[in-house]
Amino acid sequence: MSSQQKPAPDTATADATAGPRPWRLTYAAALAALEGAALVAGGLWVLVLGLTGDPDDRQQAVTLGITLVVLAMLPLLAARGLLLRRGWSRGPAVITQLMALPVAYNLLQADSMAIPAGIALAVVAVAALVLLVNGETTRALGIKGPGRAE
């Protein structure tokens, strides 16, 4: 490209960010942020208990706590991207929901107070998936389906 030529503006991105943010996109971002916050809280809880309590394996508890905090970055970054209408953010948000479903299933198989947590996680994951694959959300993020490239 010569120095006198200017690249054409990306009309898909301009169209996607025009107008108010759809409520489905806002709710999907809120659910992803909620999951990220829950992972941070759980990770910090495990980390503190691992450092101050008397765990069976202190190293394992600390590792789990740090891992949960680091994993929380995926849904938190996805939530931020969804709020800013970044097309890339839907992928990590969907992956987060798909990873949450087996966790919810395992919580539902427990014979304890984990069952309500499993129900809540399953409801949040399914609701977020429905919101993320909605056509209005897809258009707001500027995502084109197969065969729709211009």
Side-chain angles (χ1 to χ4, degrees), residues 10-91:
D10 186 9
T11 56
T13 304
D15 292 343
T17 59
R21 181 185 317 113
W23 64 268
R24 289 176 178 92
L25 186 57
T26 304
Y27 289 168
L31 290 175
L34 176 69
E35 288 173 329
L39 280 170
V40 168
L44 291 177
W45 180 67
V46 169
L47 186 61
V48 168
L49 285 180
L51 291 174
T52 62
D54 189 24
D56 292 337
D57 186 358
R58 185 175 309 269
Q59 182 180 3
Q60 187 177 16
V62 170
T63 302
L64 175 62
I66 291 172
T67 301
L68 288 176
V69 171
V70 170
L71 281 176
M73 295 318 230
L74 182 67
L76 291 174
L77 288 173
R80 183 175 187 277
L82 290 171
L83 285 175
L84 296 174
R85 292 185 178 188
R86 304 290 191 253
W88 61 263
S89 61
R90 190 175 80 158

Side-chain angles (χ1 to χ4, degrees), residues 3 56 67 75 86 103 109 116 119 124 135 139 143:
S3 62
D56 292 337
T67 301
R86 304 290 191 253
V103 174
Q109 300 304 311
I119 293 170
V124 168
R139 283 187 297 279
I143 298 172

